[in-house]
Amino acid sequence: MSDETKDKIKLMEKEKKQIKPEEKSVDPATIKMLYKAQADGVETIFDRAENMKPCPIGIQGTCCKLCSQGPCRLPLTKKDIEGKDTRQGLCGATPETIAARNFARMVAAGAAAHSDHGRSVTEVFLAAARRESPDYDIVDEKKLRAIAPDFGVAISVTVDDVETPRGKYEIAVEVGEKALGEWGKQHGEIYYAKRAPKARYDLWKKLDIIPRGIDREIVEIMHRTHMGVDQDYENIVKQCFRAALADGWAGSMIATDLQDVLFGTPHPIHGEINLGVLKEDHVNIVVHGHEALLAEMIVVASRDPEMVSYAKSKGAKGIVLAGMCCTANEILVRHGMPIAGNYLQQELAIVTGVVDAMTVDVQCIMESLANVCACYHTKLITTNSRCKIASGETIHVEFDEHNALTDAKKIVKIAIDNFPNRKGAAMIPREKEKMVVGFSYEAIEYNLGGTFRGSYVPLNDNIINGRIRGIAAIVGCNNARSMHDNAHLILAKELLKNDVIILTTGCAAMAFGKAGLLTPEAAKVYCGPGLAEVCETVGIPPILHMGSCVDNSRMLSAASAVVAAGGLGNDPSDLPLAGCAPEWMSEKAVAIGHYFEGSGVYVIFGAGLPVDGAPVFKDYLFNGLEKVVGGKWDVAEDPYEMARRMLAHIDKKRKALGIDKARDRVLMDMADRQKLSAG
Ligand code: NFS
Ligand code: SF4
């Protein structure tokens, strides 16, 4: 064969292999930017996903590299399934031990990420309470007074038989100190454990899985999974519960609560989403990552008249501040700031050619951003001592809570100064969607409960009478191994059609926003008759955007409130409720999944879970645990199958509660009504 023919074949193979952008995402803005990236010769995660396949052993969860005698690789083969499974690592570790240790380390890393975020928030909160950070204040005093008793902090004092409220700063200092203590606590239990319904708390106590302190439980996972320590997968999973519950009911929950006190508890607000929020004639700043602390200040700085006129002096018409990933959710739900996109769109925002600066704090920040920025004029600014990027050229502006606004202005100025440096053809996709977001636990209570008194009772009533079949939580990431946003949308539409109300956070929420599902009008289009009626009466979207991923803690609070409102059992595991992360990729998602499960919730993941190589351990997670904690893990690749299993779980719970009949009647009512109107 001549060299020429060989080249031709190679080219043909390449062309055949090349997957079209239309097959990589369902989001039109993303598809357009993938074409632009191709035209600009810029490589993205979508290309790399095509060129590099995942490791076939790692994907099974049975590769161990905990000591230098490994990596010991234990793929599950036909021989092991049909005959006796004799696989073991050099030290004798079984596939079950190896997969359980790998799983545990994901939980530890995920819990550490959320909780370290919570720690930063608590430190700033304490500085604000002590009046040491002039740019931060105690904004939501009502919430402060609501959470203080959970830390054992009094909100009033009685002097001479007269009850007098204590000052907010005094309360806040005490709350801040107690909250910060949750990380280093060695004994006892985390304060918020008692927020769980009593039956759940009692079960945790019986199982001995109430977290003692946040850091302690994470460190203990690292110790137990060191070479030659815990070699009993059930015992490892038990420690995973401690660390995961410490994430959900402490690290993340404290982050949510204290951010609310510092910046305001979210209430329904309008927002806009997708790359179309960027403006060619404006200075565009994208804030990416997870923490609200600096982003809140950049919001202030970008609105500063001095900054705006400085931008105008450089020829721009104004400043656009848009978010990316969970930092975006934080400033969206509190200020209605626009969102540029979710996880898989971070490189593509830069490919528009109009982003003058992208700031990053921590988590979900792809290192490739530095290389993409190098192809355009965008300045990449790291802001957190925990996250620096060695690739490419980055600027580091370290965020210091004592000088927060000054730091934020510095960043805005870098972006403005960079505005005249744009090069190459810019292209902003037209797509942007409107949405209504900001459904905190408190906002749901208020919106569903009616004007006079917030309550979860009307929600329960509608679940009991069958208008609402159940509740689903759809959360989590995008994953470059599956079609961008696709599973999120299919799953949500299937559930809505079946009258399941959806709670959402993170990048999942953004997928829904981009598809127009976060509007009250969506109820009529996508919901079954029962759910549509409820949404239209109350005026809410059928999918409630609750915030960022640490705000999954709001879902735990909501589930507890639903239990407390009565009529649906006495534990979250009794509720017609199911959770799903259809496109997960981050270790944080595993920690979240595990704390939901430990809280009694059925959790199903798309995009696989690395446990297939250890069938006994997998069976324990997927089946055995249900008898222990009431919740269980599950996995399905196909979003229709995910929906089917979530509905089956919801129906199982309805039946156990004896409310399955009520739903039959409601459906007959609807049919009758339709017959009537037809007649
Ligand atoms: Ni959650 Fe939010 Fe998105 Fe996944 Fe990353 S941004 S914390 S981890 S990718 S949902
Ligand atoms: Fe291999 Fe055991 Fe070392 Fe893991 S801990 S790498 S299984 S010898």
Side-chain angles (χ1 to χ4, degrees):
M1 208 186 295
S2 73
D3 282 352
E4 204 188 337
T5 324
K6 273 188 204 160
D7 285 348
K8 235 189 217 163
I9 290 174
K10 256 194 215 154
L11 191 71
M12 275 165 62
E13 277 176 349
K14 205 173 157 213
E15 276 174 356
K16 196 172 75 202
K17 261 200 280 170
Q18 216 165 41
I19 304 167
K20 286 207 183 80
E22 284 83 351
E23 292 164 52
K24 294 177 179 175
S25 175
V26 291
D27 169 34
T30 298
I31 295 168
K32 282 180 198 162
M33 294 329 289
L34 284 173
Y35 276 114
K36 179 165 192 288
Q38 262 175 22
D40 292 355
V42 176
E43 191 195 78
T44 68
I45 184 171
F46 292 88
D47 302 306
R48 291 185 291 274
E50 218 174 300
N51 298 332
M52 184 173 64
K53 295 290 159 237
C55 162
I57 304 165
I59 208 170
Q60 295 189 8
T62 46
C63 170
C64 181
K65 51 180 179 56
L66 292 182
C67 83
S68 77
Q69 303 170 98
C72 295
R73 303 174 310 148
L74 276 56
L76 180 68
T77 61
K78 216 165 146 228
K79 199 176 93 233
D80 305 313
I81 299 169
E82 285 164 2
K84 193 168 163 3
D85 188 349
T86 53
R87 293 173 294 156
Q88 48 181 303
L90 256 61
C91 65
T94 64
E96 319 310 326
T97 298
I98 291 173
R101 290 195 296 216
N102 288 337
F103 178 84
R105 287 194 165 205
M106 287 199 283
V107 171
H114 280 150
S115 298
D116 212 28
H117 166 180
R119 187 199 323 262
S120 302
V121 173
T122 310
E123 283 171 345
V124 171
F125 176 86
L126 201 48
R130 291 182 178 140
R131 319 298 292 131
E132 291 166 2
S133 294
D135 302 324
Y136 297 100
D137 201 356
I138 302 301
V139 167
D140 192 339
E141 192 177 334
K142 190 171 162 217
K143 178 129 188 182
L144 173 69
R145 290 184 186 276
I147 65 169
D150 291 336
F151 287 102
V153 175
I155 52 173
S156 59
V157 280
T158 310
V159 185
D160 297 333
D161 282 345
V162 183
E163 199 179 312
T164 330
R166 295 176 74 197
K168 68 173 177 180
Y169 296 112
E170 202 184 331
I171 299 174
V173 169
E174 243 184 84
V175 166
E177 283 169 354
K178 291 260 174 80
L180 198 56
E182 292 292 77
W183 275 266
K185 212 148 83 181
Q186 304 301 326
H187 304 288
E189 49 192 56
I190 53 164
Y191 284 109
Y192 283 175
K194 288 226 169 68
R195 278 188 176 181
K198 176 145 190 325
R200 183 59 23 189
Y201 175 85
D202 290 345
L203 178 67
W204 288 343
K205 192 128 191 139
K206 194 178 104 201
L207 296 172
D208 186 23
I209 55 173
I210 300 185
R212 294 156 289 189
I214 301 164
D215 288 352
R216 173 164 191 169
E217 306 307 355
I218 295 166
V219 167
E220 193 168 315
I221 285 191
M222 299 313 285
H223 178 193
R224 286 192 194 208
T225 56
H226 181 275
M227 191 272 157
V229 188
D230 205 347
Q231 290 153 114
D232 172 346
Y233 62 88
E234 289 190 16
N235 206 37
I236 294 171
V237 168
K238 190 171 163 182
Q239 182 56 26
C240 290
F241 279 128
R242 292 197 189 102
L245 293 174
D247 174 0
W249 292 87
S252 286
M253 206 174 262
I254 292 172
T256 296
D257 279 353
L258 299 191
Q259 285 179 163
D260 282 356
V261 177
L262 280 173
F263 309 125
T265 303
H267 278 277
I269 187 170
H270 288 274
E272 269 189 340
I273 184 163
N274 217 341
L275 293 168
V277 302
L278 301 173
K279 292 182 184 157
E280 190 159 1
D281 51 10
H282 281 55
V283 172
N284 293 295
I285 307 172
V286 174
V287 287
H288 174 23
H290 282 76
E291 295 194 346
L293 298 169
L294 175 61
E296 281 279 335
M297 283 304 131
I298 300 181
V299 172
V300 177
S302 70
R303 287 171 176 169
D304 185 307
E306 226 174 84
M307 281 290 155
V308 176
S309 66
Y310 185 56
K312 286 184 178 157
S313 78
K314 298 279 176 181
K317 288 211 171 114
I319 303 171
V320 168
L321 178 66
M324 179 69 63
C325 285
C326 280
T327 298
N329 281 326
E330 298 282 3
I331 56 172
L332 165 76
V333 295
R334 296 198 180 85
H335 305 286
M337 299 306 281
I339 293 190
N342 52 4
Y343 169 73
L344 278 180
Q345 290 177 286
Q346 54 186 286
E347 295 168 317
L348 302 177
I350 297 162
V351 173
T352 59
V354 299
V355 174
D356 302 299
M358 179 181 270
T359 71
V360 298
D361 48 59
V362 288
Q363 300 167 24
C364 304
I365 297 148
M366 296 201 283
E367 186 162 355
S368 62
L369 287 179
N371 302 330
V372 180
C373 282
C375 302
Y376 300 89
H377 79 300
T378 310
K379 298 272 187 228
L380 185 60
I381 307 171
T382 54
T383 59
N384 192 300
S385 61
R386 295 172 185 83
C387 170
K388 294 192 177 182
I389 299 173
S391 306
E393 242 181 71
T394 57
I395 303 169
H396 188 73
V397 179
E398 180 118 3
F399 163 65
D400 167 11
E401 73 247 33
H402 300 101
N403 286 310
L405 190 56
T406 314
D407 291 341
K409 282 186 180 166
K410 209 187 283 174
I411 288 167
V412 174
K413 187 167 178 295
I414 292 172
I416 296 172
D417 286 334
N418 196 30
F419 175 76
N421 299 334
R422 291 203 189 153
K423 56 185 182 195
M427 183 187 132
I428 304 174
R430 236 179 303 121
E431 285 75 15
K432 60 176 170 183
E433 276 295 330
K434 293 211 181 315
M435 54 189 175
V436 178
V437 303
F439 291 90
S440 57
Y441 154 78
E442 293 85 347
I444 295 178
E445 183 176 51
Y446 177 80
N447 278 270
L448 291 173
T451 326
F452 300 111
R453 166 177 283 228
S455 163
Y456 275 76
V457 171
L459 174 63
N460 287 30
D461 286 347
N462 279 305
I463 294 173
I464 294 166
N465 69 27
R467 277 193 193 90
I468 297 177
R469 182 162 169 181
I471 306 171
I474 306 183
V475 306
C477 324
N478 295 137
N479 185 314
R481 297 280 176 210
S482 57
M483 193 180 192
H484 174 228
D485 287 350
N486 185 44
H488 285 304
L489 300 185
I490 292 176
L491 173 63
K493 287 175 187 171
E494 284 299 299
L495 293 174
L496 293 179
K497 204 161 75 187
N498 283 286
D499 291 316
V500 174
I501 193 166
I502 298 172
L503 309 177
T504 188
T505 57
C507 290
M510 300 183 196
F512 302 141
K514 285 184 283 172
L517 294 174
L518 300 183
T519 59
E521 295 73 37
K524 234 193 336 259
V525 185
Y526 297 102
C527 297
L531 180 59
E533 193 186 327
V534 174
C535 292
E536 279 168 26
T537 310
V538 189
I540 51 168
I543 304 184
L544 303 178
H545 185 324
M546 299 186 84
S548 67
C549 289
V550 291
D551 293 334
N552 283 321
S553 63
R554 298 189 201 276
M555 295 184 188
L556 299 176
S557 305
S560 305
V562 170
V563 171
L568 292 171
N570 60 3
D571 183 78
S573 64
D574 297 329
L575 302 175
L577 162 69
C580 184
E583 300 179 25
W584 80 281
M585 64 87 200
S586 146
E587 290 165 313
K588 287 175 285 175
V590 181
I592 294 167
H594 207 60
Y595 73 61
F596 268 112
E597 184 184 328
S599 304
V601 182
Y602 167 79
V603 177
I604 181 164
F605 269 33
L609 198 65
V611 294
D612 285 344
V616 180
F617 170 59
K618 181 179 172 181
D619 183 60
Y620 181 63
L621 285 184
F622 286 37
N623 298 306
L625 271 179
E626 194 174 15
K627 292 172 213 97
V628 184
V629 287
K632 62 182 243 173
W633 277 97
D634 201 357
V635 163
E637 292 286 330
D638 174 29
Y640 291 101
E641 177 59 18
M642 284 175 211
R644 198 191 60 72
R645 291 196 209 167
M646 289 170 83
L647 286 169
H649 180 80
I650 284 170
D651 288 347
K652 184 172 99 179
K653 295 295 171 182
R654 291 190 69 89
K655 192 156 182 227
L657 288 164
I659 55 172
D660 48 332
K661 300 287 176 302
R663 182 164 168 80
D664 290 346
R665 274 201 298 279
V666 166
L667 287 178
M668 275 176 60
D669 282 347
M670 281 311 299
D672 288 344
R673 234 185 288 167
Q674 270 158 6
K675 236 187 272 162
L676 279 178
S677 58

